[in-house]
Amino acid sequence: MSELRQAALESKAWPFEEARRLAKRYEKKAPEKGYVLFETGYGPSGLPHIGTFGEVLRTTMIRRAFEVISDIPTRLICFSDDMDGMRKIPGNVPNQERLKEDIQKPLTSVYDPFETHESFGHHNNAMLRRFLDTFGFEYEFYSATDFYKSGQFDEVLKRAVEKYDDVMKVMLKSLREERAATYSIFLPIHPETGRVLYVPMKEVNAQDYTITFDDEEGREWTLPVTGGNVKLQWKPDFGARWAALGVDFEMYGKDHSTNTPIYDRICEILGGKKPEHFTYELFLDDQGQKISKSSGNGISIDEWLTYASTESLSYFMYQKPKTAKRLYFDVIPRAMDEYHQQLRAYPDQDAKGKAANPVFHIHNGDVPASDLVVPFSMLLNLASVSGAENKETLWGFIRRYAPEASPEGNPQMDQAASFAVAYYNDFVKPTKVFRLPTEQEREALETLRDALRAYDGEMTDEALQSVVYTVGRERFDPMKAWFSCLYEVLLGASQGPRFGGFIALYGVTETADLIDRALAGDFAEG
């Protein structure tokens, strides 16, 4: 057994823990279908968002972890529920009036308001696939419309007719009395209007696999459940899909967790084996509210990628998936820096350490080296004091600090410099609040300035930190008050970098000049 597989079999990293749980499913007998099937679902009523990215990424991490500990082949299906009826018109699309004509039609029968695809569902599916392809995910795409119409779902639909009473019994337990009175697991597609109908069944016939119902105008219809004439309500659809495909693993958000027993039981009634599942906590905005596509709170994936790398987002998604996390702009700098800290640690770790390192799971074991010679948080402070409007300004300082570095030789560093300028201008600059020093702080700052002007020692982070520390230690207890003074008076921020490193990057003379300007009141109003 390889050293990596042995480490993976013992690792406490959550992808390996989930992979081992899934492997137990087939420890006595290999899957008859010849592979382990992972699935993620997507509702194409709108454009893909950051939650979609997180779900596919985390599923992929578990899939890759499974491949480390098992020789059973794997597949990943991304399933689009594009046969759902359009219940409301999204507020962020054109041609709103035209869309009103298609309310309650399956998304793949709804007019495309962008007029680029044959339907709104096809448009959003194309966006989803482009989205997934951009990040290099390996997956197979399934359309619910194709699945129903092609006959792939027919056998499960027939079983749903045969087991109608059993499935209804599961569902009715979860419904309020008023809803239960008219509920059916089957939703017919009206033969004339093409709309998805929410109507009670008059008859469900297991002899010829048909349903009989009255439409909204009171006309009676009988339709076969096969061939795309009927779809299942979304909860039964979940369990039926697991049974039809033989899904072994699916993850979803905490808001689905109360439905898990329903999905599982329906899957079993319809002849399937319930899959392993993983429930992740939801993302919150800066106010602690759940992030919502419709309300637009929190941060979108495009916004994150304006200010930081894809890998930093993957790192954020890796962290504690069972813990609710704030997904807002102020988490970006830490994610960038911690990701690169893990990259730097990776080469010197043993197999156990590598298996537990997030970057192993982000890069599927093919981990690149970090060329970030300056932390991202430090770049933000540098942008702040230099008023940088472009990355070239930052590179002037970076080259002095690390002469061997260059945009060509340090592409991650170059990318981070661009991100830092964008982040500084949009988030740091508008919120900077400077204050004047107290008398005690003024005297300390003057001493530090004089020490820097007279300094002729090594231009290293450690040596310059010692200068800063010596000045503060003689005047402040606790020392935290001294560093708060430096950040608030010189940088206009409540927290900041290790100050010796900042001086080494910004320059000794430049920092002394910065102190003079702060003491003169150039930054804060008295």
Side-chain angles (χ1 to χ4, degrees), residues 224-238:
V225 296
T226 54
N229 291 291
V230 171
K231 75 176 296 292
L232 289 168
Q233 290 262 18
W234 70 274
K235 289 180 187 177
D237 185 87
F238 235 101

Side-chain angles (χ1 to χ4, degrees), residues 49-51 55 58 251-257 278-285 288-292 316-317 319-327:
H49 59 104
I50 205 160
E55 198 164 294
R58 287 166 168 171
M251 70 163 55
Y252 36 75
K254 184 182 178 182
D255 49 349
H256 277 277
S257 61
F278 180 93
T279 303
Y280 57 85
E281 266 288 355
L282 303 178
F283 297 113
L284 309 175
D285 65 12
Q289 300 299 309
K290 174 188 167 185
I291 283 178
S292 161
F316 181 83
M317 290 290 177
Q319 299 299 313
K320 298 180 180 178
K322 288 187 175 289
T323 301
K325 293 197 291 293
R326 289 198 321 139
L327 180 55

Side-chain angles (χ1 to χ4, degrees), residues 220-450:
E220 184 177 280
W221 297 85
T222 297
L223 295 176
V225 296
T226 54
N229 291 291
V230 171
K231 75 176 296 292
L232 289 168
Q233 290 262 18
W234 70 274
K235 289 180 187 177
D237 185 87
F238 235 101
R241 198 164 69 219
W242 288 349
L245 290 167
V247 173
D248 293 299
F249 179 91
E250 180 152 357
M251 70 163 55
Y252 36 75
K254 184 182 178 182
D255 49 349
H256 277 277
S257 61
T258 54
N259 296 323
T260 297
I262 296 173
Y263 305 154
D264 284 349
R265 185 64 192 123
I266 291 174
C267 175
E268 291 171 339
I269 289 171
L270 298 179
K273 181 181 180 180
K274 66 182 182 182
E276 308 303 317
H277 5 68
F278 180 93
T279 303
Y280 57 85
E281 266 288 355
L282 303 178
F283 297 113
L284 309 175
D285 65 12
D286 59 332
Q287 302 301 315
Q289 300 299 309
K290 174 188 167 185
I291 283 178
S292 161
K293 278 190 290 185
S294 56
S295 63
N297 57 335
I299 180 173
S300 73
I301 195 160
D302 288 334
E303 287 170 329
W304 185 294
L305 298 182
T306 300
Y307 306 111
S309 66
T310 307
E311 293 80 10
S312 68
L313 177 57
S314 298
Y315 175 84
F316 181 83
M317 290 290 177
Y318 175 89
Q319 299 299 313
K320 298 180 180 178
K322 288 187 175 289
T323 301
K325 293 197 291 293
R326 289 198 321 139
L327 180 55
Y328 209 63
F329 296 101
D330 57 1
V331 305
I332 290 176
R334 176 182 290 183
M336 277 284 282
D337 281 338
E338 289 184 358
Y339 163 70
H340 280 276
Q341 287 167 11
Q342 298 289 0
L343 282 186
R344 287 191 288 274
Y346 188 81
D348 298 324
Q349 291 175 320
D350 58 15
K352 182 179 178 181
K354 287 179 177 177
N357 191 322
V359 299
F360 175 89
H361 302 277
I362 292 168
H363 295 284
N364 191 27
D366 187 15
V367 179
S370 172
D371 65 38
L372 207 69
V373 294
V374 176
F376 188 70
S377 55
M378 188 78 82
L379 287 177
L380 292 178
N381 290 115
L382 184 60
S384 182
V385 297
S386 65
E389 295 294 330
N390 54 60
K391 67 179 180 180
E392 285 72 29
T393 302
L394 297 186
W395 266 109
F397 295 100
I398 296 167
R399 283 195 184 90
R400 183 172 61 187
Y401 177 75
E404 71 286 356
S406 69
E408 298 76 27
N410 300 66
Q412 298 166 6
M413 184 78 251
D414 191 49
Q415 185 187 49
S418 294
F419 288 143
V421 171
Y423 190 95
Y424 161 70
N425 280 293
D426 289 350
F427 298 107
V428 179
K429 191 174 181 179
T431 60
K432 284 204 294 185
V433 179
F434 292 92
R435 67 171 176 84
L436 292 171
T438 64
E439 284 305 311
Q440 179 194 22
E441 291 169 343
R442 177 176 288 274
E443 188 273 331
L445 286 167
E446 289 172 346
T447 303
L448 176 59
R449 175 202 61 199
D450 295 342

Side-chain angles (χ1 to χ4, degrees), residues 115-126:
E115 298 185 337
T116 56
H117 293 77
E118 61 183 281
S119 75
F120 191 37
H122 286 87
H123 172 273
N124 290 341
N125 284 342

